[in-house]
Amino acid sequence: RHVASLKHLEALDIDRCLFVTTETLAAIIESIPGLRSLRLEDTAMWFNSNRPEIGKQREDSTPSPPTTTNVTVDALTRRYPLLDELSLANCRGITDDDMLCLAALQELRFLNLDRCDDITDEGILHLSLGCHALQTLVLPSAPHITDVGLSFLTELPQLRRLYVDSAGGITDWGISEFDFERPQCFVYS
């Protein structure tokens, strides 16, 4: 109810606010039209229709949030097409389909997808075809992204900082190949 008074807000950081519900996020989306920066890191948010049933335990024993509202990445990208910074680190249910939605964010310069474990090379392909303003991409814990996905990122002309982890599907060889193709981009691994 107090969110409506924040209609001129351009940046919202609700990192580590574990009790933020998707209803709250839906109210934010509805009430604040001009966000340029949104940080939802470690809020344990669930996104998209692929989330488990309410109260159902995930394989890692993390319960799904007690909510019935389904906030989607598509809703975020439609409401905030001019987002230039987005952190979805540790948000549950982010998929390759969501990467297709994020690819529509032509102004996006910073994207944190750390611990978004359902993203694969296909999702990275979607990003590489759309997010041409992207300067920083954080993917250090991405077990389903391989050297193939990493090679797609060479198509991002503005990418200057890439955070990856060679412990997952990305190898040291893939990082070396990326470095060769994009020497102006510093890779943190």
Side-chain angles (χ1 to χ4, degrees), residues 3 12 14 23-33 35 38 80:
V3 174
L12 181 62
I14 52 177
E23 283 90 355
T24 303
L25 186 57
I28 290 169
I29 291 171
E30 183 64 30
S31 302
I32 304 174
L35 279 182
L38 181 59
Y80 304 120

Side-chain angles (χ1 to χ4, degrees), residues 86-119:
L86 180 61
S87 178
L88 297 172
N90 205 30
C91 291
R92 309 294 184 181
I94 305 296
T95 66
D96 292 340
D97 290 338
D98 296 317
M99 297 300 98
L100 185 58
C101 296
L102 291 176
L105 296 175
Q106 299 297 307
E107 302 293 321
L108 193 64
R109 293 180 298 120
F110 175 90
L111 179 60
N112 185 344
L113 297 170
D114 187 20
R115 297 179 310 274
C116 293
D117 295 341
D118 296 327
I119 301 169

Side-chain angles (χ1 to χ4, degrees), residues 137-141 150 153 162-166 170 175 187-189:
L137 179 60
V138 182
L139 294 169
S141 180
L150 187 62
L153 295 175
L162 176 63
Y163 297 82
V164 295
D165 187 351
S166 61
I170 296 174
I175 293 171
V187 179
Y188 301 87
S189 61

